[in-house]
Amino acid sequence: MTSSDAELRLLTEAREWAAQDPDPATEASLLELVRLVEDGDPAARQELEDSFRGTLQFGTAGLRAALGPGPNRMNRVVVRRAAAGLAAFLVEAVAKAEAGTRPRAVVGYDARYNSDIFAAETAAIFTAAGIETFLLPAALPTPLLAYAVRALECDGGVMVTASHNPPQDNGYKVYLGRHAVTAEGDGAQIVAPYDAEIAARISAVGPLESIALAGDGWTVLDGSIAAEYQRATAALAMPERFPARDLRIVLTPLHGVGGGTALEVLKAAGFTDVTVVAEQADPDPDFPTVSFPNPEEPGALDLALEAAARLDADLVIANDPDADRAAVAAKDPDTGAWRMLRGDEVGSLLGAHMVARLADGDSLAEADGRRVFANSIVSSRLLARIAAAAGLDHEETLTGFKWISRVPGLVYGYEEALGYCVAPDQVKDKDGISAAVLIVELAATAKAAGKTVFDTLDELYLQHGLHASDQLSIRVADLGLLDAMMNRLRVSPPESFGQSAVEVFTDLAEGSAQLPPTEGLLYITRNLTRVIIRPSGTEPKLKCYLEVIHQVGSAAELPAARQAARASLDEVLHDVSEALGL
């Protein structure tokens, strides 16, 4: 096929898409792209080619992409087809599980562009398919939707959100419940094989005009479901065991939908000295004060840290835009400077606090059956040591709460990317608001004892060894480069990291009795340095996770141990970069 033939086919496909597009805005932008391509604009040609380069694939993360026209973007055509396919899956799954039962589903949305429209059309399509459908009444946090799936005994849930992605993105996150999955997955995000089964139903959807949309018939929920979530989340606090409430908190929702809910929950839990960062308090799909609405990104917490310094606060809590993650910052007593804690540091602090909350004087594992702490394989090994010392079980899972939340007997789980599940019976997913309640509870308890959260971390290091971690993320323009880098490591495997010989090498793609197959490579050296290299599941990145462990004999040795750990991590970072050919 000549280039002129390929362009003619592309333009014809674009015009056909525009003719069926129910959204005047994307129709107009697509026809403008067509005009620019016809005028010879190379940038428009590249944009049009990418918009029609295949179909946006539905997977375990649901859908997530830039907004715009075409099958490779998030738009009303793609969402209608996804909703119709998911509806078909739910109807079949419920009929198989319990014939004669009407399926139930709940739909939520954040404040990004088109989120409310995608959610309303999903509700209309579900209703037309015979599903009893509930629509959240406003743009609300993702954990509240996950809570509603179980509270309303639904078979499915959809959250329209792109979480912490850039402003131009949106997404479609799917939960399954009740009749659709086994008990461990009730209310959790989808995993295989459900993703493939739903994708097959989406592929089988006929022409767009064949998708029925009900004009009414779904239930727009009132504020009671949000109030129930707030009461249940505030009730996680244990004032009888941890009465301290003297804590000055700065809170930012980063222009997302969690600010009002988080503020109400913290106040109901007794933490009333909370200042919300005014410039970031209200939902804004443009995220004007941050270059990237992700609390992990440099600069995202600058306004919150400025407010904390001005107010002489004790703690900063930042939720990402859909409030399923929580970041924490505090003043480091060693340097006197504010800094954000790593996800592994917060995950370990919460683990130790969960032990204290669970403690009843006996072995925790014997109280009422198996109690399990879990974290993803790329998260710190410190949680496993905390669990073992308390007599609790521990499991490692693949990355993502779709795996962590399914661990039988789970009482606490986390992953290093600022995701924490502190109440799995309530929300079977990461929840930045319930995590915030326990974070401020442990910080206030430490302050009442004349300590900081850093002192509490040091106590864990003295008991279990100083665990220090770091990451290297390599963003690529061409996804083929990720395969090339992974192949390079398989062909020429590193023999050592940080002058310590590799003793254990695991190709995670082969799977094991403990973990399903996933693309990634794991190395453990003689001195227990761990390196994991894997492609990101949501972004065009190769991610490298490093952890070193240094034993510490006394508090006086901690400063030197920290310096030694940092030097070790720098050596390992250099070796990883070299192994990748960077």
Side-chain angles (χ1 to χ4, degrees):
M1 183 187 294
T2 66
S3 59
S4 59
D5 288 339
E7 182 169 303
L8 181 61
R9 175 177 288 186
L10 176 64
L11 292 173
T12 300
E13 189 178 355
R15 289 192 184 95
E16 290 174 350
W17 182 281
Q20 61 153 0
D21 194 336
D23 188 333
T26 49
E27 177 192 10
S29 66
L30 182 53
L31 291 175
E32 175 63 10
L33 265 183
V34 167
R35 186 189 68 77
L36 291 171
V37 171
E38 289 177 326
D39 289 347
D41 186 323
R45 169 67 186 264
Q46 183 177 353
E47 173 64 21
L48 192 63
E49 284 180 340
D50 192 56
S51 298
F52 284 81
R53 185 177 285 119
T55 301
L56 192 59
Q57 293 302 300
F58 186 93
T60 53
L63 298 170
R64 194 176 292 185
L67 290 160
N72 200 31
R73 295 286 187 265
M74 284 293 294
N75 51 65
R76 286 167 67 182
V77 176
V78 167
V79 167
R80 284 187 184 187
R81 295 183 64 83
L86 177 57
F89 169 84
L90 290 173
V91 169
E92 292 173 33
V94 172
K96 189 182 297 182
E98 193 170 326
T101 299
R102 187 184 182 193
R104 293 160 66 94
V106 58
V107 183
Y109 56 98
D110 66 11
R112 287 175 180 265
Y113 288 113
N114 277 7
S115 287
D116 55 347
I117 295 170
F118 294 162
E121 294 204 344
T122 295
I125 290 166
F126 282 2
T127 302
I131 297 171
E132 184 180 3
T133 304
F134 306 95
L135 181 65
L136 293 187
L140 290 164
T142 291
L144 204 153
L145 181 279
Y147 172 84
V149 171
R150 304 189 81 191
L152 298 173
E153 297 184 336
C154 288
D155 304 294
V158 171
M159 182 67 192
V160 181
T161 180
S163 190
H164 54 276
N165 274 38
Q168 65 268 24
D169 288 2
N170 214 326
Y172 202 78
K173 190 174 183 180
V174 176
Y175 297 80
L176 295 178
R178 210 170 53 149
H179 298 107
V181 289
T182 59
E184 288 78 15
D186 182 8
Q189 298 175 53
I190 55 170
V191 295
Y194 306 112
D195 57 340
E197 293 174 13
I198 296 168
R201 303 304 191 287
I202 295 171
S203 296
V205 172
L208 188 69
E209 60 267 21
S210 70
I211 300 172
L213 283 81
D216 55 29
W218 60 90
T219 300
V220 178
L221 296 166
D222 59 21
S224 61
I225 192 73
E228 286 175 24
Y229 168 82
Q230 290 178 16
R231 280 194 297 271
T233 307
L236 294 173
M238 289 184 170
E240 69 284 358
R241 295 275 302 281
F242 306 99
R245 291 294 181 269
D246 176 20
L247 198 72
R248 181 165 293 170
I249 303 160
V250 169
L251 172 71
T252 176
L254 289 182
H255 301 293
V257 296
T261 303
L263 185 61
E264 289 300 317
V265 166
L266 289 173
K267 287 186 174 180
F271 297 94
T272 56
D273 191 352
V274 183
T275 300
V276 181
V277 177
E279 301 93 326
Q280 299 173 334
D282 297 325
D284 189 328
D286 291 315
F287 305 102
T289 68
V290 291
S291 57
F292 202 102
N294 181 347
E296 290 181 294
E297 292 290 325
L301 265 62
D302 283 358
L303 286 174
L305 296 179
E306 289 171 13
R310 185 174 66 252
L311 296 168
D312 192 25
D314 299 300
L315 204 70
V316 167
I317 298 286
N319 290 126
D320 66 338
D322 69 330
D324 64 350
R325 302 196 302 162
V328 180
K331 188 183 290 186
D332 190 329
D334 288 343
T335 64
W338 280 84
R339 78 165 175 89
M340 188 176 122
L341 278 72
R342 301 186 69 88
D344 281 325
E345 292 176 317
V346 177
S348 299
L349 284 168
L350 278 171
H353 188 59
M354 288 294 291
V355 168
R357 286 167 56 92
L358 290 166
D360 57 7
D362 300 313
S363 171
L364 296 176
E366 297 172 0
D368 56 1
R370 189 167 182 251
R371 293 181 175 184
V372 184
F373 280 6
N375 56 350
S376 62
I377 192 171
V378 300
S379 301
S380 175
R381 291 163 287 178
L382 179 52
L383 186 68
R385 297 190 178 193
I386 292 169
L392 292 160
D393 289 333
H394 176 268
E395 288 193 20
E396 280 188 332
T397 73
L398 296 185
T399 304
F401 271 82
K402 56 184 175 283
W403 300 110
I404 295 170
S405 66
R406 280 179 159 76
V407 171
L410 181 72
V411 292
Y412 168 63
Y414 93 91
E415 65 179 6
E416 47 69 43
L418 311 184
Y420 315 98
C421 178
V422 301
D425 289 341
Q426 181 174 306
V427 173
K428 223 170 177 62
D429 198 3
K430 57 185 178 289
D431 181 349
I433 297 174
S434 60
V437 172
L438 268 62
I439 289 164
V440 299
E441 182 178 78
L442 72 88
T445 301
K447 182 182 178 182
K451 299 186 293 188
T452 68
V453 292
F454 296 105
D455 296 323
T456 307
L457 270 174
D458 286 348
E459 291 169 1
L460 293 175
Y461 297 151
L462 288 171
Q463 185 177 359
H464 305 293
L466 176 75
H467 289 59
S469 59
D470 205 346
Q471 282 190 35
L472 175 65
S473 290
I474 303 141
R475 186 176 287 273
V476 298
D478 180 2
L479 290 175
L481 291 173
L482 297 181
D483 293 333
M485 286 190 277
M486 294 298 289
N487 288 336
R488 176 188 175 98
L489 292 170
R490 287 187 169 100
V491 172
S492 304
E495 295 182 357
S496 66
F497 290 105
Q499 302 179 53
S500 181
V502 172
E503 289 195 335
V504 175
F505 166 70
T506 304
D507 188 339
L508 299 173
E510 296 176 0
S512 66
Q514 291 75 38
L515 297 172
T518 187
E519 178 63 359
L521 303 170
L522 181 151
Y523 309 86
I524 298 177
T525 72
R526 185 169 297 155
N527 69 359
L528 298 182
T529 292
R530 187 188 68 185
V531 175
I532 298 175
I533 302 174
R534 59 179 283 272
S536 168
T538 57
E539 299 176 89
K541 281 182 178 180
L542 191 71
K543 303 189 81 171
C544 310
Y545 303 84
L546 326 174
E547 185 177 47
V548 299
I549 302 174
H550 285 237
Q551 297 305 316
V552 189
S554 68
E557 297 174 19
L558 276 167
R562 266 192 271 275
Q563 289 184 341
R566 183 65 258 172
S568 297
L569 286 170
D570 289 339
E571 272 194 280
V572 177
L573 280 168
H574 175 270
D575 292 346
V576 169
S577 298
E578 198 169 74
L580 291 169
L582 301 177

